[in-house]
Amino acid sequence: LVAPFGKLWKNKLVVVQLNLVVALILAHVSFTALSLLSEVTVNSLAEPLLSLNVGCVAGVVVVQYFYLSVMFWMTCTAWTLFNKIVNAVKQFGKEDEYYVVKCGAVSWGLPALFPTSALLTSWAVNDRVGQYTTPYIG
């Protein structure tokens, strides 16, 4: 299946764009799954209660991760285009053979730090997982 497109895999921009598309698809699928699987609980006054069960929190962390990954892949795309323009103007410069690997490490690895740190900070400040609370508005 990949053999006819072997030449495309050598193009850095194509690989970065394909990773961006995969991250975007996974972000939309996880968001849709989270919205379909989440339930809204109301109290006796018909006010919605915020459900902080473990499944909901895990779903939000996954959605945040994939959307942050999309943003990082867009940054890699912009940097790749910038480098192509600069190299076209200067007509010199070394090609980084590990560029796609570096982009992958940054775009798939670094977004994991943000939702994880937010989750750990939330648990450290107030341990409310599994409880129903009224959302704070104001």
Side-chain angles (χ1 to χ4, degrees):
L1 182 68
V2 178
F5 305 106
K7 204 176 222 183
L8 287 177
W9 286 102
K10 294 178 183 174
N11 188 351
K12 295 176 190 175
L13 187 59
V14 171
V15 175
V16 170
Q17 288 290 315
L18 287 175
N19 277 296
L20 172 63
V21 168
V22 167
L24 195 57
I25 289 171
L26 290 173
H28 287 312
V29 167
S30 61
F31 180 75
T32 304
L34 178 66
S35 63
L36 290 176
L37 297 175
S38 63
E39 60 184 50
V40 177
T41 308
V42 294
N43 63 7
S44 60
L45 300 173
E47 296 172 341
L49 296 174
L50 180 62
S51 172
L52 292 177
N53 58 17
V54 176
C56 183
V57 171
V60 168
V61 167
V62 169
V63 169
Q64 283 181 346
Y65 168 75
F66 282 125
Y67 277 115
L68 279 170
S69 183
V70 166
M71 298 302 166
F72 277 93
W73 278 113
M74 280 194 245
T75 304
C76 280
T77 301
W79 186 252
T80 306
L81 289 173
F82 171 75
N83 281 336
K84 283 190 176 286
I85 293 170
V86 168
N87 287 336
V89 171
K90 290 183 178 180
Q91 292 295 326
F92 70 94
K94 287 185 176 180
E95 286 288 323
D96 188 5
E97 60 187 55
Y98 297 109
Y99 179 76
V100 175
V101 175
K102 290 176 186 176
C103 277
V106 168
S107 298
W108 289 118
L110 199 57
L113 296 176
F114 295 103
T116 305
S117 64
L119 183 65
L120 293 176
T121 304
S122 161
W123 277 342
V125 172
N126 53 355
D127 189 22
R128 293 185 174 195
V129 175
Q131 298 177 4
Y132 287 102
T133 57
T134 305
Y136 176 73
I137 300 172

